[in-house]
C-alpha cells in the first residue's frame, strides 16, 4: 500500500553524497576510540544514544528524562539527543503498528487455512466412504497432513503475537538487522560488519526557527553545495542556565563538498534561499563513503479538479494502461500534435519501452523488464515510467487517477502463482514514484478503490472501444473518481440472457466441470443475477461497488464461459 500522508503534506527525499575535507584539529580523549575520525565518533555516539533511548521508552521514561540523561551519557548536545529519542520513538511506533498488522493478517490466514483443512478432510472422508483408489486416498491424506501442519503453525504464531499485545510489549528488536546477526551467528558474515550497521548513521531534523537545520547545515557557495556537520562531543561546558541545564561552547564542524543529482539541485537551492527546514540523515557505508538523505516537507498538494476530465491509470506488473477521459466521463481522443514523451536515457535493447496506442484516447505503456528486473533496475524503470505518465498529464492539464490496490501479506497464502505475482508487483513503488513526481510538477493526484474495475471494463467497455481489458479498467477507474455510477445496460442484460440460453442448450446441466458450461456454480450465479440485475441501477454508487453487487457474479460468469 502507498504511505498515508497528512492532508496537504508530503515529503520529498533527495539522495546525495558527502565528501569530508576539513576536520577539527583535535580529538576527544573521553569519547573517541582508537584511530576513528571525529565524524565516525559522533555517529557511534548518536546510534548508541538511539538504542539507549529505545530501551528507556520501553520502560516508560519521559522525553525530558531521556533528553537530559542522553546528553550526560553520550556527550551529545540537546538537539542530537532529542533526535535520537525521536528516531527511537518512530521505531517503537512502527513496531507496535506492525505487531497489530501481523496479528490481523495471521488471523485471516488461520481462518483460510482452517477452511481448507475442513474441505480436505471432507474430501478424504467421502473418498474413503466410496472406496476410491489407494493412490487417491493417499494423496488426500497427504493434503490433510500438510494443511493440518499449517493450521498448527499459524495458531502458534497467532498465540505468540497475542501474548505480546496482551503484555503491551513488542518482539525483541535486533539493531543492525536480525538477518545479518543470524548470518554472524552462523559464521556466514563478519561480526565487524554487524557492528558497523549498528553505528553508521547520524540524523538531524529541521527547524524553521533556526533557518533550516542547526546541526547539519547545507549551503551553496556559488558553484557547489557544501555540508557542515556539528561534532557536539567536542564542545565544552561553559556553565549552566537558569534552569540548571549545561551551557556548551560552539561545537566544531566537519565540512566538505556535497554532491547532489543535477535534477534536484534547483529544488535544493530554492529551499535554502527561502530558509525552509529540512531533515538530514548521514549514512556511512562499509567502504567509507558518506551517503546523504535530505528530506523536505511539501505543504502544497493540490486537490484534483475534474472540470476538464482526468488521466486514468491502471497498473499492471509489466506497465500501465492510460485513458484520456473527458468531463462527461467518456474517453476523449488525444489532442492533435500531442507527442508522448519518450525517455532518452534507455536503450539497452529494442522494445525495452513500448508505447502501444489505441483509438479514442487509450494507451498502453509496456516495460517488460518490470516483471523480472533487479531491485535497482526496477526502481530506475519505475522512475522513468512515472516521469512519462506525469508529463502526459501535465501536457493535458488534467489530474491523475490511480487505483489503490492492496497486496498485503494476509492475501499471500498457498497459491504459489498469486504469491509470485503479488511479491514481484511493484505497485507501491509505482504509486510512490508517480505521487512524488506529480507533487513536483504540480499535477493533482487521487487514489480510488480498485473493486470490480476489470470486471466492469470487461463487460461494458472492452468490446465497445476495441481495447484490452486493462485500458477498459482504466476508463472505469477514471469514471469512479469523477463520481459516475456504472449502470447495467440493456445490452448487458441481453448478453447474460444469451449466455444462459447457450449454456443450457449445449451442455448437460447435471455434469459439473469448470469452463464446460452450466455447472452448479454457474447455475447459482445466473440465479443471483436474475434477482440483482433489475435493481442494480437504482442503488447508490457505494452499493454498486460493494462485494455483494452484481459484478462478482459477472466475474464468475466471465471466468466460467471464457
Amino acid at each position: 500500500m502507498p504511505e498515508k500522508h497528512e492532508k496537504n503534506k508530503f515529503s520529498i527525499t533527495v539522495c546525495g553524497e558527502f565528501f569530508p575535507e576539513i576536520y577539527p584539529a583535535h580529538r576527544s580523549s573521553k569519547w573517541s576510540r582508537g584511530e576513528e575520525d571525529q565524524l565516525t565518533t559522533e555517529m557511534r555516539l548518536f546510534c548508541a544514544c538511539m538504542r539507549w533511548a529505545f530501551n528507556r521508552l520501553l520502560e516508560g521514561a519521559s522525553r525530558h528524562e531521556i533528553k537530559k540523561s542522553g546528553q550526560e551519557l553520550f556527550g551529545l548536545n540537546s538537539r542530537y539527543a532529542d533526535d535520537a529519542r525521536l528516531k527511537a520513538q518512530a521505531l517503537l511506533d512502527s513496531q507496535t503498528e506492525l505487531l497489530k498488522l501481523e496479528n490481523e493478517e495471521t488471523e485471516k490466514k488461520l481462518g483460510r487455512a482452517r477452511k481448507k483443512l475442513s474441505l480436505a478432510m471432507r474430501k478424504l472422508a467421502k473418498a474413503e466412504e466410496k472406496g476410491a483408489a489407494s493412490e487417491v486416498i493417499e494423496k488426500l491424506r497427504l493434503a490433510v497432513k500438510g494443511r493440518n501442519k499449517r493450521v498448527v503453525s499459524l495458531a502458534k504464531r497467532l498465540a505468540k503475537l497475542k501474548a505480546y499485545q496482551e503484555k503491551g510489549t513488542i518482539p525483541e528488536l535486533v539493531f543492525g538487522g536480525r538477518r545479518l546477526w543470524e548470518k554472524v551467528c552462523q559464521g556466514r558474515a563478519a561480526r565487524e560488519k554487524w557492528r558497523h550497521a549498528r553505528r553508521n548513521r547520524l540524523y538531524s531534523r529541521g527547524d524553521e526557527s533556526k533557518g533550516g537545520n542547526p546541526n547539519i547545515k547545507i549551503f551553496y557557495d556559488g558553484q557547489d553545495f557544501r555540508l557542515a556537520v556539528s561534532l557536539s562531543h567536542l564542545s565544552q561546558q561553559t556553565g549552566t542556565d537558569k534552569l540548571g541545564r549545561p551551557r556548551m561552547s560552539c561545537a566544531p564542524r566537519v565540512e566538505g563538498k556535497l554532491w547532489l543529482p543535477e535534477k534536484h539541485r534547483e529544488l535544493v537551492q530554492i529551499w535554502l534561499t527561502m530558509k525552509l527546514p529540512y531533515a538530514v540523515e548521514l549514512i556511512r557505508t562499509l567502504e567509507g563513503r558518506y551517503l546523504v538523505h535530505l528530506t523536505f516537507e511539501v505543504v502544497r498538494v493540490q486537490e484534483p479538479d475534474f472540470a476538464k476530465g482526468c488521466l486514468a491509470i491502471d497498473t499492471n506488473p509489466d506497465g500501465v494502461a492510460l485513458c484520456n477521459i473527458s468531463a462527461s466521463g467518456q474517453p476523449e481522443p488525444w489532442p492533435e500534435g500531442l507527442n508522448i514523451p519518450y525517455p532518452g536515457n534507455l536503450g539497452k535493447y529494442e522494445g525495452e519501452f513500448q508505447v502501444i496506442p489505441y483509438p479514442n484516447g487509450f494507451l498502453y505503456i509496456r516495460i517488460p523488464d518490470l516483471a523480472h528486473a533487479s531491485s535497482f533496475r526496477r526502481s530506475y524503470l519505475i522512475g522513468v515510467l512515472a516521469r512519462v505518465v506525469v508529463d502526459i498529464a501535465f501536457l493535458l492539464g488534467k489530474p491523475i487517477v490511480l487505483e489503490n490496490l492492496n497486496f498485503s501479506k494476509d492475501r499471500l497464502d498457498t497459491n504459489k502463482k498469486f504469491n509470485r505475482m503479488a511479491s514481484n508487483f511493484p505497485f507501491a513503488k509505482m504509486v510512490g514514484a508517480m505521487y512524488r513526481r506529480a507533487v513536483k510538477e504540480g499535477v493533482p493526484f487521487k487514489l480510488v478503490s480498485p473493486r470490480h474495475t476489470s470486471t466492469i471494463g470487461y463487460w461494458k467497455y472492452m468490446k465497445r472501444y476495441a481495447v484490452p481489458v486493462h485500458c477498459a479498467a482504466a476508463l472505469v477507474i477514471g469514471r469512479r473518481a469523477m463520481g459516475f455510477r456504472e449502470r447495467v445496460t440493456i445490452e448487458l442484460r441481453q448478453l447474460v440472457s444469451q449466455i444462459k440460453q447457450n449454456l443450457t442448450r449445449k451442455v448437460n446441466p447435471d455434469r459439473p466441470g469448470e469452463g464446460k458450461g452450466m455447472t452448479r456454480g454457474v447455475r447459482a450465479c445466473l440465479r443471483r443475477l436474475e434477482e440483482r440485475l433489475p435493481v442494480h441501477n437504482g442503488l447508490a454508487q457505494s452499493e454498486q461497488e460493494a462485494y455483494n453487487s452484481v459484478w462478482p457474479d459477472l466475474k464468475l460468469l466471465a471466468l466460467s464461459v471464457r
Side-chain angles (χ1 to χ4, degrees), residues 26-176:
H26 64 284
R27 297 183 181 181
S28 172
S29 58
K30 180 180 180 181
W31 302 110
S32 62
R33 290 182 182 176
E35 296 298 325
E36 66 181 10
D37 56 64
Q38 298 92 325
L39 183 55
T40 305
T41 303
E42 190 78 9
M43 288 183 165
R44 174 174 54 80
L45 294 172
F46 179 85
C47 292
C49 183
M50 183 179 69
R51 296 194 298 271
W52 173 85
F54 182 83
N55 292 324
R56 301 293 79 76
L57 288 171
L58 291 177
E59 297 172 359
S62 65
R63 173 186 177 183
H64 176 72
E65 295 173 352
I66 295 174
K67 187 175 178 181
K68 183 177 179 180
S69 301
Q71 296 179 63
E72 300 173 357
L73 292 174
F74 302 98
L76 301 173
N77 60 26
S78 61
R79 182 167 289 273
Y80 271 142
D82 199 31
D83 291 341
R85 181 207 57 83
L86 189 66
K87 294 283 284 185
Q89 183 66 58
L91 184 59
L92 179 60
D93 293 342
S94 66
Q95 290 297 312
T96 305
E97 186 67 25
L98 184 61
L99 177 63
K100 180 182 177 182
L101 182 62
E102 287 187 353
N103 197 343
E104 295 174 356
E105 292 173 349
T106 308
E107 282 184 348
K108 293 179 182 179
K109 289 181 180 179
L110 181 59
R112 284 201 302 267
R114 283 174 174 165
K115 288 182 181 179
K116 290 184 177 181
L117 175 61
S118 62
L119 179 62
M121 293 176 67
R122 286 199 299 269
K123 286 185 178 180
L124 177 60
K126 188 178 293 186
E128 290 176 344
E129 182 181 351
K130 291 183 177 180
S134 58
E135 295 86 358
V136 175
I137 293 178
E138 186 63 28
K139 187 176 181 180
L140 289 173
R141 285 176 179 172
L142 188 62
V144 170
K145 182 179 178 181
R147 293 183 178 181
N148 186 52
K149 284 186 176 181
R150 178 167 177 80
V151 168
V152 173
S153 175
L154 289 173
K156 287 182 179 179
R157 176 168 177 78
L158 181 60
K160 189 176 180 180
L161 293 173
K162 285 189 174 181
Y164 282 120
Q165 276 194 328
E166 292 173 358
K167 295 178 182 178
T169 59
I170 60 174
E172 292 183 0
L173 199 67
V174 180
F175 287 89

Side-chain angles (χ1 to χ4, degrees), residues 209-239:
S209 62
K210 305 292 184 181
N213 195 310
N215 275 339
I216 305 180
K217 287 184 175 294
I218 301 173
F219 53 93
Y220 186 69
D221 62 3
Q223 295 181 348
D224 297 311
F225 289 96
R226 297 188 68 81
L227 187 69
V229 183
S230 297
L231 303 176
S232 59
H233 72 280
L234 293 179
S235 60
Q236 301 293 329
Q237 183 173 350
T238 58

